[in-house]
Amino acid sequence: MSEQTYTLVLDRFEEDDAVLLVEQDGDLVDEIVLPKTMLPADGQHQDAIFSVRHMSETVTELQYDPEQTQERKESAQDRFNRLSQRLPSEDVDEHSDHP
């Protein structure tokens, strides 16, 4: 069996379990549920990113990636900031002239 690397993104906690989204080559391919205790302590927060090698029925070499977690957080914040900037609209001016 060939070794494959996946990216796991911690989506949420459900009681004592962690629900992780599984990405491969940037695409969402699956969702898995693991006991929260299987996660490294510093990665036990929402949107934490892990890399994992060789997933079958068991997960091996789950590794928290704080740098990629921070990069994704900043990228998402940048997108949000760009989208939330208010652009001038001519429609607003046109409507304000009408009684």
Side-chain angles (χ1 to χ4, degrees):
M1 179 180 228
S2 65
E3 183 178 288
Q4 294 181 313
T5 301
Y6 296 88
T7 298
L8 304 180
V9 181
L10 180 53
D11 185 51
R12 66 188 179 278
F13 292 106
E14 293 180 354
E15 296 182 19
D16 292 331
D17 292 327
V19 179
L20 298 116
L21 305 178
V22 182
E23 297 177 355
Q24 184 178 29
D25 299 325
D27 294 324
L28 181 63
V29 296
D30 203 357
E31 180 178 288
I32 62 170
V33 178
L34 298 174
K36 184 178 178 180
T37 56
M38 284 188 68
L39 303 178
D42 54 351
Q44 291 187 8
H45 59 86
Q46 190 172 9
D47 296 328
I49 296 178
F50 304 88
S51 61
V52 63
R53 287 188 209 149
H54 177 32
M55 287 178 52
S56 57
E57 303 235 349
T58 61
V59 176
T60 58
E61 294 188 49
L62 184 66
Q63 191 170 47
Y64 175 55
D65 189 336
E67 291 167 2
Q68 188 175 6
T69 299
Q70 186 62 31
E71 285 174 15
R72 280 203 190 187
K73 181 179 177 182
E74 290 171 1
S75 176
Q77 186 63 50
D78 288 345
R79 283 193 306 271
F80 176 79
N81 290 343
R82 283 194 308 271
L83 291 172
S84 66
Q85 287 179 348
R86 199 174 171 135
L87 299 175
S89 172
E90 294 178 22
D91 293 337
V92 173
D93 294 329
E94 290 176 16
H95 294 294
S96 64
D97 294 338
H98 297 288

